Amino acid sequence: MTANIQETSAQELKRAWLEEAIGLATNSVTNGGGPFGALVVKDGEVVAIGNNQVTATLDPTAHAEVSAMRAACKKLDTFSLGGCVLITSCEPCPMCLSSALWARVDRIVYAADRDDAAVAGFDDRKFYDLFEKKPASMWPTPVERLDLPNRTAPFDAWLAKSDRVDY
């Protein structure tokens, strides 16, 4: 019984973190960033957050996940994020996934997927195709999707934004 309670509690916590990441992504759109948000969690606590700043900073690597991992490394004073979980509003693109693997995060949890992103104009499927040779079940880091009802809220905000900079 205790194991079931712990599992339920862990799922609720992941969902709460995903809600926070979706909120970050939606706020990012309002504040001139892209529709992506991420957080790094260690020992049950949020260590760092990030949102997409590609067009705002003219930096193609300023994705939410990379920004959150950079901030977490600085806060934790390390280059390794072993023991951490990367929570992100959307399935990490291949660059962000590779960065998370290099950072040695323990797990990645996301809400929206690559197809949701493509609908909003963020179609990275040709990049994903380059990495599809090895099934995710064989990757060194578990990658898990939780389907939340509001998973596309950041993309909806992005599509509704009249002054967005498409990329």
Side-chain angles (χ1 to χ4, degrees), residues 13-149:
L13 198 50
K14 281 192 269 186
R15 286 183 180 281
W17 290 329
L18 277 173
E19 292 288 352
E20 186 174 344
I22 290 168
L24 285 168
T26 305
N27 289 337
S28 178
V29 172
T30 303
N31 296 319
F36 302 92
L39 35 119
V40 175
V41 175
K42 183 169 184 158
D43 299 328
E45 298 293 325
V46 175
V47 173
I49 61 172
N51 65 292
N52 182 285
Q53 291 290 307
V54 170
T55 59
T57 62
L58 304 178
D59 179 355
T61 68
H63 290 202
E65 298 90 339
V66 172
S67 297
M69 287 186 288
R70 285 177 180 157
C73 286
K74 283 186 180 193
K75 183 166 185 178
L76 298 172
D77 195 28
T78 182
F79 61 87
S80 175
L81 295 177
C84 295
V85 179
L86 176 64
I87 308 286
T88 181
S89 64
C90 187
E91 180 177 9
C93 74
M95 178 187 72
C96 292
L97 178 60
S98 297
S99 297
L101 293 172
W102 274 108
R104 306 297 194 258
V105 299
D106 286 1
R107 175 176 299 279
I108 300 166
V109 180
Y110 66 93
D113 65 15
R114 63 185 78 176
D115 297 318
D116 295 323
V119 169
F122 297 90
D123 192 354
D124 295 335
R125 289 179 286 198
K126 64 186 173 199
F127 302 133
Y128 287 106
D129 291 346
L130 296 171
F131 293 89
E132 293 294 317
K133 295 184 182 194
K134 194 173 210 179
S137 61
M138 297 180 70
W139 294 355
T141 302
V143 178
E144 171 186 8
R145 179 177 186 221
L146 289 179
D147 186 8
L148 271 60

Side-chain angles (χ1 to χ4, degrees), residues 28-33 155-166:
S28 178
V29 172
T30 303
N31 296 319
F155 299 129
D156 297 339
W158 175 257
L159 290 172
K161 186 176 174 65
S162 61
D163 62 342
R164 72 178 180 265
V165 177
D166 291 324

